[in-house]
Amino acid sequence: MRSDAIKKGLERAPHRSLLWSLGRTNEEMERPFVGIISSYNDIVPGHMNLNQLNAAVREGVYMAGGTPFEANTIAICDGIAMGHQGMKYSLASRELIADSVETVVQAHAFDAIVLVSACDKITPGMVMAMARLDLPAVIVTGGPMLVGRRGRDILDLNSAFLAVGAAASGKMTAHEVELIEKACCPGCGSCAGMFTANTMACLCEALGIALPGNGTTPAVSSRRLALARQAGMQVMAMLERNIRPSDILTADAFHNAFSTDMAMGGSTNSVLHLLAIAHEAGVEIALPELNRFAENTPHLCKLSPASEQHIEDLHYSGGIGAIMHELDELGLLKRDSLTVTGQTVAENLAPESRWAPDYATVTRDVVRSGADPYSRTGGLAILFGNLAPGGAVVKAAAVAPSMMQHTGPARVFDSEEAATRAIMGMAFSEGDVIVIRYEGPKGGPGMREMLTPTSLLSGMGLDGKVALITDGRFSGASRGAAIGHVSPEAAARGPIAAVQDGDRITIDIPNRRLELDVSEAELARRLAALPAFEPRVRGGYLRRYARLVTSASTGAVFED
């Protein structure tokens, strides 16, 4: 066993003395050592139940003959960090999380690991570490939050952001905003829509690195505890069979994940994270390939922010398994891809499988059939053109039909704060294309999510009348013609740095185009005239992050 490096042999007597100090028994010392790496804390709502899941995982590991040890990593709540300097640290924390998991696991020579996670950057950071370590591993996430309710209104976090926009335009009072903010997030879990946190939990299931049911089982459900206990047991089975992430995180697994992502209309941030995970797994994925998945995959499930349905509705309609079942019926899955159950995707989906979704509960208003999709193409689109030579990402499923093809004048801002002030002051016109730049991985630094500007526009009823383009990111809760991840970013002298107020910009989502109506010669002249970019931070982690991070088109990973 790998853990023999810290517990076997005469020369390991000092190491064993420290293990004995933990109260371990002779029997426990003979068993495999399993690391339970958790992001439990009591500031992030998606994480405050993870201590209960940690305990359930411990029980599962013990039940299956292992010796568990718990350790923690950091977590940031994107909702709390949103709209101020804290958001600069959100995406940047993903690399810290991956590094910290790698560090504690390698230092203590664990034989296998269970990762207990939740929320936007934490789950992908842990999966990146999983791929890097290549030890038998299972991830179990904390589960989605239930919806909030106020009378007959169904609410989620995005309701509070939209309320701010409504109040700013005089459509709602401050008291009504307060009533919504106190009702929309009723308890623990990842915010209730198909936002980034739940998207990544669902995609862990599609990748095969989480047990079936992981993506949608509510945080407050007793089944979530059972799932965690099963994860502890299952990692021991994987250890016995020597099933490793490299056996699971193959090109076929990413095919299944991108296909599922397109079918369920996941967050645009999933593109960043899947590319980063693929990088760690040694699987090459070029950004233009994603449009092939979009073109071949029907959009089968539409959840908040694109509709009034939520994750719990999907859960009680068969969950991610139901979506994958429909994709399998259409021949769009790699059926032989191995999963942490020890079985293939096809075996998990078979009606007689213990892991099969309950197809009897599927209602076609939640998961549509391949014959009757919301659209024939997937929920995400990658746009290219002279404004985004390296690509840009849009959640096409959440764009109003009126904005799928649009040309309008640019209204340019060099920070999220400047754009937010202009939106609050209604300093723009319908039809404008608001451009927010110098918010990319290097420029921000940290590529902040911008739910505040998009939710303000939505709350004002303008998300179908104004477009927003940025080299930064959008929250999974964003909706409307919100186009992010523009690459190269402004800080890297991408064309977005040369846009001027009044320039005409054409958005053509059906044809995957994003064009600036400026000649190549004029673009080159403007870019050459730009001063050298000066980083916005002078020290600390963000300074190092800005120096090392690569483009959004490559997943915003660190340079090798």
Side-chain angles (χ1 to χ4, degrees), residues 125-475:
M126 286 197 173
V127 179
M128 289 165 67
M130 176 194 290
R132 191 184 299 173
L133 291 162
D134 202 29
L135 296 171
V138 180
I139 188 165
V140 56
T141 56
M145 185 184 292
L146 296 179
V147 298
R149 295 177 183 273
R150 180 170 172 254
R152 294 184 177 181
D153 292 336
I154 304 297
L155 308 172
D156 59 31
L157 174 67
N158 201 34
S159 305
F161 280 96
L162 295 176
V164 174
S169 60
K171 298 177 181 178
M172 186 177 289
T173 66
H175 177 63
E176 288 173 315
V177 173
E178 182 182 2
L179 293 175
I180 289 172
E181 73 181 60
K182 289 181 175 178
C184 65
C185 295
C188 67
S190 299
C191 302
M194 187 55 82
F195 312 145
T196 308
N198 288 321
T199 295
M200 293 312 302
C202 291
L203 292 181
C204 285
E205 189 175 334
L207 280 168
I209 54 174
L211 292 172
N214 181 78
T216 60
T217 302
V220 296
S221 170
S222 62
R223 302 312 306 158
R224 179 59 62 177
L225 290 172
L227 192 72
R229 193 171 290 108
Q230 185 66 54
M233 298 171 66
Q234 196 61 34
V235 80
M236 295 302 297
M238 294 176 69
L239 179 62
E240 183 177 352
R241 293 179 56 184
N242 196 30
I243 297 175
R244 297 171 180 261
S246 57
D247 301 312
I248 297 172
L249 291 172
T250 63
D252 284 354
F254 286 96
H255 173 104
N256 292 340
F258 279 117
S259 296
T260 303
D261 200 10
M262 295 297 176
M264 70 185 189
S267 164
T268 53
N269 290 316
S270 63
V271 175
L272 273 178
H273 299 319
L274 287 176
L275 289 175
I277 294 166
H279 174 80
E280 294 287 355
V283 176
E284 292 188 12
I285 299 171
L287 197 59
E289 289 182 47
L290 305 195
N291 279 333
R292 177 171 55 82
F293 287 105
E295 290 160 6
N296 295 335
T297 309
H299 184 204
L300 303 177
C301 181
K302 186 176 284 193
L303 304 180
S304 175
S307 80
E308 297 304 313
Q309 296 174 333
H310 290 79
I311 294 289
E312 63 196 74
D313 298 306
L314 174 58
H315 177 67
Y316 295 116
S317 297
I320 295 303
I323 295 174
M324 295 183 73
H325 170 73
E326 293 298 327
L327 293 175
D328 190 39
E329 291 286 298
L330 296 170
L332 296 177
L333 291 185
K334 300 293 187 180
R335 309 184 80 242
D336 295 331
S337 189
L338 185 64
T339 74
V340 292
T341 67
Q343 298 179 320
T344 65
V345 167
E347 290 170 330
N348 288 345
L349 292 175
E352 65 275 10
S353 170
R354 63 179 293 195
W355 308 108
D358 184 0
Y359 301 124
T361 66
V362 174
T363 56
R364 289 305 181 194
D365 62 337
V366 178
V367 180
R368 292 194 175 184
S369 71
D372 182 33
Y374 284 101
S375 68
R376 295 292 174 187
T377 55
L380 298 178
I382 312 299
L383 310 184
F384 295 92
N386 69 342
L387 186 53
V393 184
V394 62
K395 190 170 185 175
V399 178
S402 61
M403 296 300 290
M404 294 295 283
Q405 292 178 306
H406 174 74
T407 298
R411 186 83 170 81
V412 184
F413 303 93
D414 286 344
S415 70
E416 178 189 1
E417 288 83 358
T420 298
R421 287 193 296 270
I423 293 170
M424 291 285 286
M426 298 293 288
F428 61 92
S429 302
E430 290 186 14
D432 281 356
V433 179
I434 296 173
V435 176
I436 307 177
R437 62 191 178 191
Y438 294 103
E439 290 286 4
K442 287 183 179 295
M447 203 180 181
R448 288 188 287 179
E449 286 185 351
M450 298 184 205
L451 182 55
T452 300
T454 58
S455 59
L456 283 171
L457 292 171
S458 294
M460 294 172 176
L462 295 170
D463 53 338
K465 299 173 183 177
V466 176
L468 205 159
I469 295 173
T470 182
D471 54 6
R473 301 182 295 128
F474 293 114
S475 164

Side-chain angles (χ1 to χ4, degrees), residues 113-133:
I113 51 175
V114 179
L115 305 174
V116 184
S117 171
C119 297
D120 303 50
K121 310 311 158 308
I122 302 89
T123 296
M126 286 197 173
V127 179
M128 289 165 67
M130 176 194 290
R132 191 184 299 173
L133 291 162

